[in-house]
C-alpha cells in the first residue's frame, strides 16, 4: 500500500483567503519510508502572513519572496501523490 503523509503551513486559518506557504510530504510503502519526499516553500502572492501563523511556523514574507507560486508547483505535487492514499498531518 502506497501512502503519502503530508503537511502544510499557511498564511492563516481562513480557507477563503489564506494561502499555502509550505507543502511537504513523505512516501510510505507498506508503512515504511521509501526515501521519496516532496518539499516546497510557496510564494503567497501578496497575501500577508498573520501574526498568529508566524508564531506557529516562523515563516516570513521575506523568506517567500523568491519562491514559486502554488500554480507553479501544483503539478509537481499532484505527480508526487498520484495514486497514493493521502494522510494529512493535524487536519480533519
Amino acid at each position: 500500500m502506497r501512502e503519502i503523509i503530508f503537511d502544510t503551513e499557511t498564511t492563516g486559518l481562513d480557507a477563503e483567503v489564506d494561502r499555502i506557504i509550505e507543502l511537504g510530504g513523505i512516501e510510505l510503502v507498506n508503512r515504511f519510508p521509501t526515501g521519496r519526499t516532496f518539499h516546497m516553500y510557496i510564494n503567497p502572492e501578496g497575501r500577508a502572513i498573520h501574526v498568529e501563523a508566524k508564531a506557529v511556523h516562523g515563516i516570513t514574507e521575506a523568506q517567500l519572496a523568491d519562491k514559486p507560486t502554488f500554480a507553479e508547483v501544483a503539478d509537481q505535487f499532484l505527480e508526487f501523490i498520484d495514486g497514493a492514499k493521502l494522510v494529512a498531518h493535524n487536519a480533519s
Side-chain angles (χ1 to χ4, degrees), residues 7-57:
D7 191 20
T8 63
E9 297 297 348
T10 63
T11 58
L13 297 177
D14 186 338
E16 296 294 319
V17 296
D18 285 309
R19 303 278 197 285
I20 294 173
I21 57 172
E22 185 178 18
L23 179 58
I26 63 167
E27 178 185 65
L28 305 178
V29 173
N30 297 324
R31 305 214 178 195
F32 289 95
T34 66
R36 283 190 70 214
T37 63
F38 181 94
H39 180 259
M40 288 281 190
Y41 286 106
I42 301 168
N43 185 314
E45 301 181 86
R47 178 71 183 159
I49 301 173
H50 296 270
V51 173
E52 297 86 358
K54 279 183 196 171
V56 172
H57 53 60

Side-chain angles (χ1 to χ4, degrees), residues 3-8 24 85-92:
E3 299 172 291
I4 301 294
I5 312 299
F6 73 100
D7 191 20
T8 63
K85 177 182 176 183
L86 300 179
V87 181
H89 174 262
N90 200 25
S92 52

